[in-house]
Amino acid sequence: AALQYPLTLIGDTTPPQEVGTPEVVPSGANSVKIRWQTNEFSRGTIEYGSQSGQYTQSATEPLYTRDHELTLAGLPAEGEIYYRITNT
């Protein structure tokens, strides 16, 4: 089956908006899942790193969706991780 580009995105110049607050869920040793929703179909990217404002790694969704979920793996066992989400 062929994937179809959502027709609502064609000619859309308004950026997608997040709906609600992202949910961070532990998903095993040194990894978390981050889930969030947007008001329209989009691809999400999470940039993350161990210092605020310095995002040295990223993960991007392969498909357009409204219900997003990405797993960040290989995280340090201790310390904080800072992240930002962008939707395009």
Side-chain angles (χ1 to χ4, degrees):
L3 295 176
Q4 295 184 4
Y5 192 81
L7 294 178
T8 55
L9 293 178
I10 296 173
D12 182 5
T13 59
T14 304
Q17 300 296 311
E18 286 181 31
V19 177
T21 303
E23 177 185 18
V24 179
V25 180
S27 65
N30 302 346
S31 67
V32 297
K33 286 185 182 179
I34 300 180
R35 298 178 181 136
W36 71 101
Q37 295 180 324
T38 52
N39 65 336
E40 61 184 45
F41 286 96
S42 62
R43 284 179 63 197
T45 297
I46 298 178
E47 297 173 284
Y48 59 101
S50 59
Q51 296 182 17
S52 179
Q54 295 184 12
Y55 309 108
T56 57
Q57 296 178 285
S58 67
T60 300
E61 294 176 297
L63 301 174
Y64 289 84
T65 184
R66 288 183 181 157
D67 296 312
H68 306 271
E69 178 179 289
L70 279 170
T71 298
L72 308 182
L75 301 175
E78 296 183 14
E80 295 183 355
I81 294 297
Y82 298 87
Y83 71 94
R84 69 177 173 189
I85 299 171
T86 54
N87 299 289
T88 56

